[in-house]
């Protein structure tokens, strides 16, 4: 299940729908156990009382797909979101071919900046798809188009990091970039917001 879907369907605001979030007591971050949630969807909301986080049964591919379909139906996300996967350059090419440049008000991406070699194609895709702000974006009723990038602050053994991505975006001069959230703990995470300059 894509991160965006997991975060949307299993968000803390959906907790009234029986979602259970598991948090390690020594961190500020809250981790959503997708397999645990799938088990709840398939076998009932009382699963939380019966099965501990570490004892979640392994689901077949068919059971996982069925649980995902049920979660999608429960939140009407299909009419509001589109999930796209593939290489950044090929996605950009396909969306340009379809004439869909600047057609997304919000782009969510997670764990995509761990390799500096991918920064150019990712940045080019984001610049291609993010909607341009309307003339009156200062109005309280209008949203500013934005990209939210969730990432680990440092990827050990890899070339990318939040710092190197922020430097790259700054050097390109297309987007403003700022950190809108930071976690604590031993593996710090951040959410960056990119908006048009």
């Amino acid at each position: 299940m894509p991160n965006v879907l997991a975060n949307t369907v299993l968000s803390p605001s959906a907790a009234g729908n029986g979602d259970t979030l598991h948090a390690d007591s020594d961190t500020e971050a809250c981790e959503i156990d997708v397999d645990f949630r799938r088990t709840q969807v398939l076998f009932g909301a009382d699963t939380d009382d019966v099965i501990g986080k570490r004892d979640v049964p392994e689901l077949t591919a068919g059971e996982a797909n069925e649980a995902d379909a049920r979660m999608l139906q429960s939140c009407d996300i299909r009419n509001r979101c589109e999930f796209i996967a593939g290489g950044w350059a090929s996605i950009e090419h396909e969306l340009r071919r379809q004439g869909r440049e600047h057609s997304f008000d919000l782009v969510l991406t997670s764990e995509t900046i761990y390799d500096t070699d991918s920064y150019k194609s990712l940045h080019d895709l984001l610049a291609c798809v993010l909607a341009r702000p309307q003339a009156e974006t200062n109005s309280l009723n209008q949203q500013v188009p934005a990209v939210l990038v969730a990432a680990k602050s440092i990827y050990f053994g890899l070339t990318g990091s939040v710092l190197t991505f922020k430097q790259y975006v700054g050097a390109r001069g297309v987007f403003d970039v700022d950190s809108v959230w930071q976690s604590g703990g031993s593996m710090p995470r951040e959410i960056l917001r990119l908006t048009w300059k």
Side-chain angles (χ1 to χ4, degrees):
M1 181 170 359
N3 286 337
V4 173
L5 176 60
N7 292 338
T8 301
V9 175
L10 306 174
S11 68
S13 64
N17 298 330
D19 291 331
T20 300
L21 304 177
H22 301 280
D24 295 330
S25 59
D26 61 338
T27 67
E28 296 174 17
C30 189
E31 177 184 308
I32 298 170
D33 187 330
V34 175
D35 288 332
F36 185 86
R37 178 62 177 125
R38 284 175 173 156
T39 303
Q40 284 184 313
V41 167
L42 289 176
F43 304 115
D46 294 334
T47 308
D48 193 24
D49 298 331
V50 179
I51 308 173
K53 180 179 176 187
R54 300 188 198 299
D55 299 326
V56 174
E58 190 168 325
L59 300 176
T60 66
E63 289 171 328
N65 288 339
E66 171 66 21
D68 293 350
R70 287 186 194 179
M71 286 188 277
L72 275 173
Q73 284 179 328
S74 71
C75 68
D76 189 33
I77 198 169
R78 291 181 193 199
N79 296 325
R80 299 181 291 139
C81 297
E82 182 174 349
F83 301 101
I84 301 172
W88 304 130
S90 63
I91 294 171
E92 179 187 357
H93 174 76
E94 181 60 23
L95 291 174
R96 285 186 187 279
R97 187 188 68 72
Q98 295 173 9
R100 298 177 62 198
E101 296 95 325
H102 308 295
S103 60
F104 294 86
D105 297 318
L106 177 64
V107 177
L108 305 175
T109 181
S110 174
E111 305 303 336
T112 52
I113 63 169
Y114 55 84
D115 182 4
T116 56
D117 290 340
S118 69
Y119 286 1
K120 181 185 182 321
S121 57
L122 176 60
H123 186 280
D124 290 350
L125 172 62
L126 298 175
C128 170
V129 300
L130 186 63
R132 295 286 184 171
Q134 297 178 6
E136 296 290 325
T137 55
N138 293 337
S139 168
L140 293 176
N141 295 330
Q142 293 194 332
Q143 300 285 327
V144 175
V147 176
L148 296 178
V149 179
K152 294 180 182 82
S153 298
I154 298 171
Y155 291 91
F156 296 103
L158 299 167
T159 57
S161 69
V162 166
L163 178 61
T164 59
F165 186 70
K166 287 171 77 171
Q167 290 170 338
Y168 181 85
V169 170
R172 289 286 300 263
V174 175
F175 296 113
D176 288 321
V177 59
D178 57 313
S179 182
V180 295
W181 180 84
Q182 294 178 336
S183 75
S186 60
M187 182 64 70
R189 299 187 54 78
E190 294 184 50
I191 297 178
L192 302 177
R193 179 180 54 211
L194 282 66
T195 55
W196 292 106
K197 280 195 171 280

